[in-house]
Amino acid sequence: MNWTWFYKLGSPKWFYDTANKLLPWFLWIGVSFLLVGSVWGLAFAPQDYQQGNSFRIIYLHVPTAILAQSCYMMMAVAAVISLVWKMKLADMFIASAAPIGAAFTFLALFTGAVWGKPTWGTWWVWDARLTAMLVLLFLYFGVISLRSALENIDLASRASAILVLVGVVNIPIIKYSVEWWNTLHQPATFTLTEKPAMPPEMWLPLLVMVVGMYCFFAAISLMRIRNEILQRERRTKWVQKLISEESKF
Amino acid sequence: MNFDDFSDFLLMDGHALYVWLSYGMGLFIILLTYIQPVLARKSIIQELSQRQRREAKASETSAVETESTHENKGAC
């Protein structure tokens, strides 16, 4: 296998140029999928016979919740790479993704609460799935505050990578909480092994939203990583050159 | 379309508050997560270019200073 791509990933300049090329694609595909998925889910998908129209929150709630956990798993992979190979970009990813993950987790909790009110009759219960999601939010806050508290960048990257890895325990708890414990939360809508229980005109817009959310996540994390690169590599010649070119306009 | 007309769509059969509150927050979070790095990039570029100009000026003046001291020495 050819491993040059892995070494290239270690070069911030190469990554910056690649991010510049990929960013518009991710952004436009993400935004258009989210737009199409929302209109489809809100106006055209059939009503749920039990929940009525409040079920339409699923098209926002499920993609954000998936991303909230996915983002954490990606940060965990980055944490291993950052600890083992000391790759700067892995650490920049952790720094960039933590605020996005926090925002998405908050949105998943918020839409869940708003959906819970008409469906379960309550905004919040301290059950396994919901509490584990709240723990996830605090893990993201922990990473963010650890990074801003530690001035030394090497120390900050090591400490946050370790915190991310410790918190990984929470992810299977979120995933299997609906099976292990009695909970108000319904089981997963999508599984890789079984066909969805919904008709296609209900789950297709959901799939569009999930893909859109992944692309949007990719776009905004690339934007954040770009910013991290500019700041941390500001002493290098290529950033100096880029800055003098950018500031002319 | 699953609804009879636009007002029917907005009312969501009595679930309007829940549906639109969720999607409103969704839009807010998406805009926020997009705008934040755009603004950050602007301020980083501004800060770095200011620093660049300051350093360029500093090295210019120091170069002039060393030149003038050389001239003084020559005069002596």
Side-chain angles (χ1 to χ4, degrees):
Chain A
M1 200 183 152
N2 188 358
W3 281 91
T4 42
W5 61 272
F6 192 73
Y7 294 108
K8 271 187 184 164
L9 263 181
S11 149
K13 180 176 178 352
W14 178 85
F15 190 90
Y16 188 94
D17 293 338
T18 314
N20 266 351
K21 273 178 226 143
L22 293 178
L23 225 167
W25 292 96
F26 278 128
L27 192 62
W28 287 115
I29 294 173
V31 168
S32 44
F33 270 50
L34 287 180
L35 217 63
V36 168
S38 313
V39 173
W40 193 353
L42 279 169
F44 294 95
Q47 253 182 46
D48 186 83
Y49 77 101
Q50 275 183 321
Q51 300 184 9
N53 281 318
S54 67
F55 118 93
R56 293 177 196 285
I57 296 172
I58 198 175
Y59 298 112
L60 189 60
H61 176 75
V62 168
T64 31
I66 288 177
L67 250 295
Q69 296 164 65
S70 237
C71 172
Y72 200 87
M73 286 315 291
M74 292 184 235
M75 279 168 62
V77 173
V80 172
I81 296 175
S82 153
L83 282 177
V84 176
W85 287 285
K86 307 262 175 266
M87 193 187 274
K88 265 195 258 177
L89 271 164
D91 180 54
M92 290 181 191
F93 176 76
I94 296 177
S96 309
I100 306 174
F104 279 24
T105 311
F106 166 76
L107 185 58
L109 284 168
F110 183 89
T111 51
V114 174
W115 192 7
K117 184 65 187 162
T119 316
W120 305 335
T122 176
W123 300 99
W124 182 263
V125 277
W126 289 101
D127 89 340
R129 173 58 75 82
L130 280 69
T131 311
M133 272 310 263
L134 194 64
V135 170
L136 183 67
L137 183 65
F138 289 138
L139 280 170
Y140 281 126
F141 285 158
V143 174
I144 296 168
S145 49
L146 197 58
R147 297 200 71 95
S148 62
L150 294 172
E151 284 279 314
N152 183 325
I153 199 94
D154 290 328
L155 194 62
S157 78
R158 227 177 319 146
S160 54
I162 290 168
L163 176 61
V164 169
L165 286 180
V166 171
V168 165
V169 182
N170 191 38
I171 295 293
I173 296 180
I174 297 177
K175 181 149 175 39
Y176 295 109
S177 54
V178 283
E179 292 166 23
W180 291 342
W181 292 287
N182 272 327
T183 158
L184 275 180
H185 199 284
Q186 60 202 38
T189 315
F190 283 144
T191 49
L192 288 174
T193 46
E194 282 167 58
K195 271 175 115 180
M198 293 177 171
E201 58 270 35
M202 267 182 167
W203 63 254
L204 263 176
L206 186 52
L207 195 64
V208 171
M209 286 296 277
V210 172
V211 174
M213 207 59 98
Y214 266 105
C215 290
F216 181 72
F217 172 82
I220 51 178
S221 29
L222 285 180
M223 286 166 78
R224 285 178 163 273
I225 294 173
R226 254 185 358 175
N227 289 348
E228 285 280 327
I229 291 176
L230 284 185
Q231 255 176 340
R232 288 202 216 172
E233 303 288 299
R234 59 170 178 265
R235 295 260 160 242
T236 60
K237 269 206 182 104
W238 72 270
V239 171
Q240 294 280 342
K241 193 164 159 259
L242 189 138
I243 293 293
S244 61
E245 276 163 12
E246 285 273 342
S247 52
K248 272 178 202 156
F249 304 110
Chain B
M1 183 107 170
N2 188 58
F3 298 93
D4 296 335
D5 52 40
F6 193 67
S7 66
D8 194 33
F9 169 67
L10 287 182
L11 287 173
M12 285 278 160
D13 266 338
H15 283 146
L17 170 71
Y18 307 113
V19 173
W20 297 120
L21 190 61
S22 294
Y23 279 82
M25 184 55 93
L27 186 67
F28 174 73
I29 291 286
I30 281 179
L31 286 178
L32 192 76
T33 48
Y34 173 73
I35 290 169
Q36 206 271 330
V38 170
L39 294 181
R41 181 180 165 83
K42 263 189 192 156
S43 77
I44 288 169
I45 287 178
Q46 203 178 4
E47 191 205 315
L48 290 186
S49 77
Q50 267 172 0
R51 188 188 299 229
Q52 215 171 42
R53 253 174 276 149
R54 223 183 303 132
E55 276 166 13
K57 212 179 251 173
S59 64
E60 227 171 67
T61 49
S62 68
V64 170
E65 269 166 24
T66 46
E67 233 170 62
S68 58
T69 46
H70 279 298
E71 273 170 20
N72 287 346
K73 266 181 196 164
C76 288

